[in-house]
Amino acid sequence: MVLALAIVAIAITSIVSPMTATRSFGLPLPEDGTHIAWWLRLKAVREIVAGLAVILTAIPMLIGAR
């Protein structure tokens, strides 16, 4: 659950400032171009959805539902 929240938090940072977030991980930018920031934001949205899916899957286990 904590890992999923961390993934969502990092992805939100990537949406707000995609170039800075990518550099902060030590990753090289794929290339210089006009659409790179949008591509990085799209990846961030994918990670937010994945993190939320894990969180929503874990909620029934956390509250004890069967």
Side-chain angles (χ1 to χ4, degrees):
M1 180 71 122
V2 174
L3 184 59
L5 289 172
I7 289 171
V8 171
I10 291 169
I12 289 171
T13 303
S14 295
I15 286 178
V16 173
S17 181
M19 301 294 201
T20 304
T22 301
R23 286 188 193 109
S24 71
F25 285 120
L27 299 173
L29 291 175
E31 60 185 43
D32 289 329
T34 57
H35 301 294
I36 296 302
W38 291 108
W39 179 73
L40 293 171
R41 284 187 179 109
L42 181 62
K43 289 175 54 173
V45 169
R46 176 195 65 192
E47 293 185 10
I48 288 173
V49 171
L52 291 176
V54 171
I55 291 168
L56 292 174
T57 302
I59 286 175
M61 292 187 303
L62 292 175
I63 60 174
R66 293 180 190 231

